[in-house]
Amino acid sequence: MRIEEASRPKVQRVSNHAHIKGLGLDDSGQPLPLAAGFVGQEEAREACGFVVEMIRQKKMAGRALLLTGASGTGKTALALGISQELGTKVPFCPMVGSEVYSAEVKKTEVLMENFRRSIGLRIKEIKEVFEGEVTELTPVETEDFANTYGKTISHVMVGLRTMKGSKQLKLDPTIYDAIMKENIAPGDVMYIEAKSGAVKRVGRSDSYRTEFDLEADEYVPMPKGDVHKKKEIVQDVTLHDLDCANASPTGGQDILSLMGQLMRPKKTEITEKLRKEVNTVVNNYIEDGIAELVPGVLFIDEVHMLDIECFTFLNRALESSLAPIVILATNRGLSKVKGSGDYSPHGIPIDLLDRLVIVRTNLYDMEECTKIIAIRAEIEGISLDASALAKLAEISDSASLRHALALVSPAAVLAETNGRDQVLVQDVEEVSALFKDAKYSARMMIQ
């Protein structure tokens, strides 16, 4: 009898920008009309493509980019597109300007924490390890003299084999506890660090791969070379991780021990003295070739919500030797700088504005709105009739694109309630009568 694993499709929440997969540029850096979830905004996407290339060449650190444009023109989508183009190895830290106002922590401390989260460190360590496929896992028990009726584990015998040979290890019972936590069984590939005794399960040996299997596991090839070897371990951390680990140090002094202490019980500020000490160690690692600095991206949306104190801090932080790429976004024109009586473009002081390169986003026309609504409906698994799509595009022109997109899901629920799989124009008209937009509210207030 054969047992097959039956999988059920998972229903996942669709976020506002789930359709953004990149900037939609070709090999020469030119924007495609419709690609990677983007529609239009060719000039802004091309400019962001240059920014991505500068970040990859590490020529953008300590500089800042400002995205300006009306609401709903894709500023946040452009920032997320830059993140997608850079990949998962480059830190990307998004925040909103209003996040800095906290009763527990100072405004500049919140900004500094996000700055440090945006700076990555790729650490390479060479460690002595025992690595191989587990052939034997036998705990050896002895009489527990403290307990008349019980036994205790004195040691554990572990057999490991590689393509070159095999070895039997006699390990401490504490390492056996770590093996049990990792759910390691015979047939798994694992490695044990010689100094710290840290245990890591790599995966299931591919010699146990079969056509039908109950466990959905990752299969890895059997390790080559000797069981006892030196292995280069690469870890990607951020400066904020190192700050937190050193703020409450416990355990060993190696990187794994530091990374194991990333959570703090209470929100507290990390002192400037501690950060300087971490910076000194990081700079020594970089000079010795142990670590490599990876400047990431800090994205601050609604930057006009920051006050003059935060802007002054940003001026100083951008000049630091350890500074990420900062992307700011705002939909304001000429407005007052918070905390001062001065008016300035985008609500940003002139001295900081001089440091920024500005990318402007344009309003979408009716055709582009139609394409965006169609893409969002496809992502959400909603079938729209042609007349319903045209009606939503008309609403996006008279009200806003965000309001039109917000009506798609209620219209789909209404169509499903009426026993239909496709959204018709009457569904859109009914939900449009129920849910009003901001312009309608403004007109009512004037009346």
Side-chain angles (χ1 to χ4, degrees):
M1 181 179 70
R2 296 189 305 182
I3 302 175
E4 295 188 28
E5 182 182 1
S7 61
R8 194 169 57 174
K10 293 181 180 179
V11 179
Q12 293 185 349
R13 179 181 176 272
V14 181
S15 63
N16 288 338
H17 298 96
H19 59 289
I20 301 297
K21 306 299 180 188
L23 289 173
L25 306 175
D26 59 16
D27 295 336
S28 62
Q30 295 299 313
L32 300 170
L34 178 62
F38 267 105
V39 176
Q41 305 292 359
E42 282 89 354
E43 290 182 359
R45 285 157 56 199
E46 186 177 0
C48 290
F50 282 110
V51 171
V52 169
E53 194 57 37
M54 290 172 68
I55 293 172
R56 285 174 177 162
Q57 295 179 13
K58 298 185 179 178
K59 295 179 179 178
M60 187 76 184
R63 302 189 187 183
L65 171 73
L66 176 64
L67 302 174
T68 65
S71 297
T73 52
K75 299 183 293 296
T76 306
L78 283 171
L80 292 174
I82 291 173
S83 169
Q84 295 280 357
E85 292 285 345
L86 292 173
T88 56
K89 294 294 183 183
V90 178
F92 182 83
C93 179
M95 66 171 290
V96 183
S98 56
E99 286 183 27
V100 301
Y101 301 105
S102 167
E104 295 180 335
V105 184
K106 291 186 294 191
K107 291 174 285 189
T108 53
E109 175 66 21
V110 176
L111 279 174
M112 178 55 84
E113 277 193 14
N114 284 286
F115 256 77
R116 307 279 286 185
R117 282 193 180 99
S118 309
I119 304 171
L121 197 68
R122 187 165 293 129
I123 302 171
K124 298 177 182 178
E125 284 188 305
I126 298 176
K127 294 187 174 182
E128 284 189 36
V129 297
F130 294 91
E131 184 181 33
E133 178 194 320
V134 179
T135 57
E136 179 190 356
L137 186 59
T138 309
V140 178
E141 295 181 339
T142 57
E143 294 290 339
D144 187 2
F145 297 104
N147 189 351
T148 311
Y149 301 99
K151 292 186 177 182
T152 184
I153 295 173
S154 61
H155 62 274
V156 58
M157 301 300 296
V158 175
L160 297 176
R161 68 171 179 174
T162 62
M163 300 285 278
K164 193 173 180 181
S166 61
K167 188 180 283 285
Q168 194 172 40
L169 307 174
K170 181 180 178 181
L171 304 177
D172 190 80
T174 56
I175 299 179
Y176 178 68
D177 295 336
I179 291 173
M180 290 296 100
K181 286 180 182 177
E182 288 280 328
N183 293 322
I184 294 171
D188 292 342
V189 176
M190 62 173 278
Y191 71 82
I192 306 169
E193 291 185 16
K195 287 186 178 179
S196 64
V199 177
K200 175 71 175 176
R201 182 181 184 272
V202 181
R204 189 79 174 161
S205 176
D206 59 3
S207 58
Y208 288 82
R209 188 193 298 270
T210 55
E211 185 179 356
F212 300 99
D213 203 323
L214 284 173
E215 57 180 351
D217 212 335
E218 181 183 357
Y219 291 94
V220 294
M222 186 184 294
K224 298 177 182 178
D226 295 322
V227 173
H228 186 206
K229 67 184 81 171
K230 289 187 177 180
K231 185 183 178 82
E232 184 181 68
I233 298 173
V234 179
Q235 296 184 63
D236 290 306
V237 297
T238 66
L239 293 186
H240 180 66
D241 294 337
L242 296 177
D243 293 342
C244 294
N246 285 279
S248 54
T250 56
Q253 295 301 313
D254 62 334
I255 299 300
L256 274 176
S257 298
L258 292 177
M259 291 306 99
Q261 306 295 328
L262 300 185
M263 298 301 293
R264 285 173 290 167
K266 187 180 177 182
K267 185 72 177 174
T268 56
E269 293 186 16
I270 297 169
T271 62
E272 189 66 24
K273 181 182 177 182
L274 175 64
R275 288 200 175 103
K276 286 181 179 178
E277 291 175 356
V278 170
N279 289 349
T280 303
V281 174
V282 167
N283 288 328
N284 291 337
Y285 276 3
I286 294 170
E287 289 174 6
D288 296 341
I290 299 172
E292 175 190 1
L293 198 68
V294 184
V297 177
L298 171 62
F299 174 55
I300 306 177
D301 204 358
E302 308 291 343
V303 70
H304 55 268
M305 293 297 296
L306 299 180
D307 62 8
I308 190 69
E309 183 183 347
C310 297
F311 286 126
T312 307
F313 173 81
L314 281 177
N315 256 333
R316 183 179 72 86
L318 285 171
E319 294 177 349
S320 170
S321 58
L322 297 175
I325 299 94
V326 180
I327 300 178
L328 312 175
T330 180
N331 56 12
R332 293 291 194 272
L334 186 67
S335 59
K336 185 183 287 188
V337 179
K338 285 176 71 70
S340 74
D342 300 331
Y343 282 83
S344 179
H346 315 299
I348 301 172
I350 295 295
D351 55 345
L352 177 60
L353 207 58
D354 285 341
R355 297 174 179 270
L356 310 177
V357 288
I358 301 174
V359 174
R360 184 170 177 267
T361 57
N362 302 312
L363 290 170
Y364 293 109
D365 57 29
M366 182 89 75
E367 183 183 353
E368 290 172 339
C369 287
T370 305
K371 291 178 181 177
I372 292 170
I373 294 168
I375 290 171
R376 287 297 305 172
E378 183 182 353
I379 288 291
E380 295 183 23
I382 297 170
S383 175
L384 290 176
D385 181 58
S387 57
L389 183 59
K391 180 64 178 175
L392 285 167
E394 183 184 325
I395 292 171
S396 71
D397 187 53
S398 61
S400 70
L401 178 59
R402 284 178 176 171
H403 181 63
L405 292 172
L407 294 179
V408 174
S409 293
V413 173
L414 182 60
E416 186 179 349
T417 305
N418 293 329
R420 283 183 272 102
D421 294 332
Q422 192 175 45
V423 176
L424 303 180
V425 66
Q426 56 262 35
D427 299 322
V428 176
E429 289 173 347
E430 187 172 343
V431 296
S432 178
L434 292 172
F435 301 103
K436 305 301 181 184
D437 63 288
K439 290 181 180 178
Y440 174 85
S441 297
R443 289 195 300 270
M444 293 297 294
M445 291 299 292
I446 292 172
Q447 294 174 4

